[in-house]
Amino acid sequence: MNSLLRKPFKKAVSALLITSIFSTILFGNYAFAADQPVNHTEASNSLTWKEAGNNHYDIYSAYSIGFMGAEWSSARRAWGFNYRLVGTGASRYNDKATSRIRIAAFEIEGTSNTSKLALWSSADSKYIGSAPESSGSKPGYSSLAGAVIGFAITAINNLSAGYAWSVVGLIDAMRSTVDDVISTDNRLWRKWDWSSDISDTGQYFWFIADVEPNQTAQISTEYMIFGPGYELLSAGVRYRNLEAGSAGRSLAAKTNEEWNPGMMSATEKEEYGIEEIPREQFDKRAKELNISSRSIEEFTNSDEDVFYYAHDFKEYEVSQPELAATSSSKTDLIQEINQSLERSSKIVEAFSTNEVLQEEDQAIIEKHTIKIMKLKELLNKVQSLNEEDSGAINAQRKAFQNEA
């Protein structure tokens, strides 16, 4: 269902984190705000293209990902790493708002140790939001991700975007809605599109990555906006390692199928900030910690006496996977072709799932469908070349540059 446009945007104001909207929670010797991430990372990008004279378009994209802590699931025998993801996009013509954004999307993928990893989200209204929207429910996003929203707005304004909303303004504008959903164990795709192009947008997404105990998995995250002219602007792909603590120091604990965090030593629990929540305190702490609806349902329906929440698991950004040490001009070219293939594939996926295709949409789809076929043919040719045949590799590089 295509989202409808809201009323004209409020005047742009600087992004401020309004600390008064954050409720403080005490655990041990630490003070936590319900929406304050344990770790967070921002990514941003922009592009400019000029027209006759000094006229120019500027497109901006940024996002913030915040890790909020991990919940133990005795039903799934895994730690659920909770994330809040917020994206922001803006388009300008001669530094004034202009409507060039047609689509926005998040993509989360498992990239390492995926057999020990499962991605998940809920259809509950509080797990997703977007602006501008004219319909949909209005959960209390300030208590869920006010801080992460502030980080994302700061990131786009650091590009001099003059973003249309403040933190409070975007929270007020967001509605729980989404236009396209793909969910598998190793990929989450959420997309929004508008019946008329827009100038400023913002999206929010709460997802969970289940990681088996004593395992380290990796995910990638990306926020993208799409529109005619530039077609796709990615704020950048970020990679994160998720270390699901320890299954205990003894071999027996590590291999015990009935293992639970209660078997961890006092030292381990302290190291990972494991909070043990008795059943009689669970309802109160579930609200304070924004525990996921799935975990609430599982624990409520179980016969468990204690719920475990990890505040201090190691969770951190890592560099983009690099080429092998034996990198050559051939492997470099293969990587470049694959990157171009991935970009064109995302463009086709984004535009082709619009409920109503405009002529520009169809032209973009056809252009990149043809490009994908040519790039695949080129990739097959390059893969068959001898590593030492620099002349042939350079010839195929020129062919690739003509397609790019």
Side-chain angles (χ1 to χ4, degrees):
M1 176 176 63
N2 279 22
S3 305
L4 300 176
L5 292 179
R6 286 176 52 79
K7 294 178 181 179
F9 298 122
K10 298 177 181 179
K11 293 182 180 179
V13 295
S14 61
L16 298 175
L17 290 178
I18 312 299
T19 56
S20 61
I21 67 173
F22 301 149
S23 58
T24 301
I25 294 168
L26 298 178
F27 166 59
N29 295 321
Y30 300 95
F32 297 96
D35 69 320
Q36 288 280 356
V38 179
N39 293 319
H40 64 92
T41 297
E42 285 64 56
S44 60
N45 199 7
S46 65
L47 62 84
T48 299
W49 78 89
K50 296 182 178 180
E51 293 190 327
N54 293 323
N55 297 321
H56 62 278
Y57 284 97
D58 297 290
I59 311 296
Y60 305 92
S61 179
Y63 73 101
S64 178
I65 178 170
F67 168 55
M68 313 303 293
E71 310 158 350
W72 171 251
S73 169
S74 58
R76 303 185 313 279
R77 321 304 303 174
W79 286 101
F81 284 65
N82 279 263
Y83 288 94
R84 311 290 195 272
L85 190 58
V86 175
T88 52
S91 59
R92 303 289 180 260
Y93 182 67
N94 293 339
D95 302 322
K96 295 182 179 180
T98 187
S99 298
R100 303 292 295 189
I101 299 173
R102 187 165 296 180
I103 300 166
F106 286 126
E107 184 175 51
I108 301 98
E109 292 186 293
T111 52
S112 177
N113 203 15
T114 54
S115 65
K116 306 298 183 181
L117 169 73
L119 300 174
W120 177 87
S121 188
S122 171
D124 190 316
S125 61
K126 69 180 181 179
Y127 281 75
I128 201 157
S130 177
E133 304 294 345
S134 60
S135 63
S137 61
K138 187 180 176 182
Y141 293 120
S142 61
S143 64
L144 297 170
V148 181
I149 288 171
F151 296 139
I153 291 177
T154 298
I156 197 169
N157 278 333
N158 283 342
L159 299 174
S160 301
Y163 190 61
W165 286 294
S166 65
V167 176
V168 174
L170 182 56
I171 289 170
D172 184 63
M174 278 188 176
R175 299 293 184 273
S176 181
T177 184
V178 65
D179 296 316
D180 189 42
V181 172
I182 297 174
S183 297
T184 69
D185 281 352
N186 287 309
R187 183 180 185 236
L188 300 176
W189 166 268
R190 299 293 185 270
K191 195 199 82 167
W192 296 261
D193 58 80
W194 291 270
S195 54
S196 299
D197 294 352
I198 59 176
S199 62
D200 294 71
T201 191
Q203 281 73 40
Y204 155 77
F205 185 38
W206 172 357
F207 71 94
I208 299 172
D210 284 344
V211 182
E212 293 184 15
N214 202 38
Q215 296 288 332
T216 297
Q218 186 182 97
I219 61 172
S220 67
T221 58
E222 185 175 15
Y223 176 71
M224 298 158 278
I225 57 174
F226 302 79
Y230 60 97
E231 298 178 340
L232 163 62
L233 176 64
S234 169
V237 180
R238 289 292 186 268
Y239 296 85
R240 308 193 72 78
N241 276 2
L242 291 57
E243 295 188 12
S246 166
R249 301 305 183 194
S250 70
L251 180 62
K254 291 182 180 180
T255 58
N256 186 348
E257 292 183 359
E258 299 303 317
W259 181 90
N260 68 72
M263 297 179 183
M264 298 173 75
S265 67
T267 301
E268 287 179 301
K269 291 175 184 176
E270 183 178 0
E271 177 184 355
Y272 298 115
I274 305 295
E275 179 179 0
E276 298 180 325
I277 305 172
R279 181 170 285 274
E280 59 270 19
Q281 298 177 17
F282 180 71
D283 289 346
K284 179 177 182 290
R285 293 299 283 141
K287 291 179 181 178
E288 293 171 339
L289 290 169
N290 279 322
I291 289 173
S292 67
S293 58
R294 180 183 64 174
S295 290
I296 291 173
E297 182 178 1
E298 284 182 0
F299 183 71
T300 301
N301 294 333
S302 75
D303 58 1
E304 302 286 331
D305 294 323
V306 177
F307 183 87
Y308 299 96
Y309 192 95
H311 292 271
D312 299 329
F313 272 167
K314 293 180 181 178
E315 189 281 345
Y316 49 93
E317 185 178 48
V318 293
S319 300
Q320 181 175 354
E322 298 178 356
L323 288 173
T326 56
S327 175
S328 65
S329 58
K330 175 181 173 180
T331 53
D332 287 344
L333 181 54
I334 287 173
Q335 184 188 45
E336 291 172 25
I337 294 172
N338 279 325
Q339 289 173 342
S340 188
L341 263 171
E342 183 178 7
R343 182 177 188 275
S344 289
S345 297
K346 288 178 180 177
I347 290 171
V348 170
E349 180 177 25
F351 281 94
S352 62
T353 53
N354 285 1
E355 193 168 279
V356 178
L357 289 180
Q358 302 180 36
E359 288 186 10
E360 288 175 311
D361 298 338
Q362 194 61 53
I364 290 170
I365 293 167
E366 292 176 359
K367 168 188 170 182
H368 284 276
T369 299
I370 293 171
K371 184 174 181 179
I372 288 169
M373 290 190 298
K374 291 182 177 180
L375 287 171
K376 286 181 176 179
E377 292 175 0
L378 183 61
L379 182 62
N380 289 334
K381 290 180 181 179
V382 174
Q383 288 173 332
S384 67
L385 294 177
N386 189 306
E387 291 275 3
E388 309 302 322
D389 194 346
S390 59
I393 292 171
N394 288 335
Q396 295 304 321
R397 179 175 291 281
K398 288 182 180 178
F400 167 65
Q401 290 170 345
N402 290 335
E403 291 299 331

